[in-house]
Amino acid sequence: MTPAAIRIDDLLFRWRPDAAPAVCLRGLQVDAGKSLFLHGPSGAGKSTLLNLLGGVLLPERGRIEVLGQVLGDLPAARRDAFRADHLGFIFQQFNLLPWLSALENVLLPCRFSRRRAQRAGDPVAEARRLLAALDLAAPVHDAPAAELSVGQQQRVAAARALIGRPEIVIADEPTSALDAARQDAFIDLLLAEAKAVASTVVFVSHDQRLAAHFDASFALAGELPA
Ligand SMILES: Nc1ncnc2c1ncn2[C@@H]1O[C@H](COP(=O)(O)OP(=O)(O)OP(=O)(O)O)[C@@H](O)[C@H]1O
Ligand SMILES: [Mg+2]
């Protein structure tokens, strides 16, 4: 049996005690090395669920197990270290540091995680390899992130998520839509790089057209009654 990379049971999260649940789901499992497409309308709780998977937020009820570790069992500092070591995040707004170059942004996880740095081998060479694999030419590697197009920023964010071979790569689709052909090409590059190192991928989008790229999909229904 393939071990589960992510296992969620009976999850409930509210932003405030009097608010409707932002995420409420009975169960979800993602097997190691597989890709999951997570979809649902705006406000359905997709980004909230990704923050729960990263241990940035903790659920009011339920259990989230990542790589066999129950996140709620770890104190906050250990959760941060666990996230830095094992999870690569592509944020919805990318969260690149604008004054750093593309290359320096890709190298950031190696500064926060010794494990990621070791697994990258020669981090600078690996960062350049990933940027090139994601179709970014050498001059772009040294440009400040602030000067990149949205599509280029997305690929820099992907290279940053992939460096050091984290077991899980989590991607929150940017709201500012790229054209369909570019988005398809981006997903194919991301999945190819993840597959080459057997990483598990969770990719979020409201665009169900993209589901065909992934091994499985899961729908978040949206706001539920309190
Ligand atoms: N920081 C926050 N504080 C309070 N409520 C929040 C916060 N972030 C999100 N919410 C609420 O939680 C719900 C789910 O939001 P979330 O951002 O997870 O949706 P989403 O599915 O990612 O939407 P989108 O497709 O627009 O990115 C929404 O009702 C939103 O208003
Ligand atoms: Mg979102």
Side-chain angles (χ1 to χ4, degrees):
M1 199 181 80
T2 332
I6 297 168
R7 193 191 302 272
I8 295 177
D9 290 302
D10 191 28
L11 185 66
L12 179 76
F13 176 86
R14 275 189 268 247
W15 282 100
R16 284 181 307 279
D18 59 340
V23 176
C24 177
L25 60 94
R26 194 185 295 275
L28 175 63
Q29 182 174 318
V30 191
D31 290 338
K34 298 291 184 191
S35 61
L36 177 77
F37 180 66
L38 191 65
H39 62 99
S42 183
K46 303 182 298 296
S47 296
T48 305
L49 177 58
L50 296 187
N51 281 318
L52 287 159
L53 282 177
V56 179
L57 300 171
L58 288 179
E60 174 179 331
R61 191 183 75 206
R63 207 176 116 92
I64 303 176
E65 203 180 289
V66 177
L67 305 170
Q69 174 66 57
V70 178
L71 296 180
D73 289 351
L74 294 175
R78 295 259 316 275
R79 277 203 311 278
D80 291 344
F82 184 84
R83 180 170 60 249
D85 282 346
H86 301 289
L87 275 72
F89 264 89
I90 304 173
F91 297 95
Q92 196 162 11
Q93 272 103 21
F94 309 132
N95 298 7
L96 299 181
L97 298 184
W99 60 89
L100 295 183
S101 69
L103 180 72
E104 289 163 334
N105 269 282
V106 176
L107 289 168
L108 285 172
C110 298
R111 293 205 346 218
F112 295 116
S113 164
R114 187 195 300 257
R115 182 175 191 271
R116 296 273 292 273
Q118 281 169 350
R119 285 162 69 90
D122 175 345
V124 171
E126 175 61 0
R128 289 198 187 276
R129 185 196 71 76
L130 282 165
L131 287 167
L134 289 158
D135 262 354
L136 289 168
V140 177
H141 302 189
D142 300 305
E147 293 175 13
L148 303 180
S149 75
V150 173
Q152 289 170 333
Q153 288 179 51
Q154 185 181 33
R155 283 173 284 154
V156 172
R160 185 175 64 179
L162 288 161
I163 197 162
R165 295 184 283 123
E167 286 90 337
I168 300 177
V169 174
I170 289 181
D172 208 346
E173 194 203 33
T175 39
S176 50
L178 300 174
D179 65 68
R182 278 210 160 270
Q183 190 64 307
D184 284 330
F186 170 75
I187 291 171
D188 287 340
L189 290 170
L190 175 70
L191 289 176
E193 278 300 316
K195 205 174 192 70
V197 295
S199 293
T200 306
V201 175
V202 178
F203 187 99
V204 155
S205 174
H206 59 272
D207 183 358
Q208 285 199 51
R209 188 188 61 85
L210 302 174
H213 294 271
F214 298 86
D215 294 319
S217 41
F218 187 86
L220 277 182
E223 209 166 82
L224 299 154

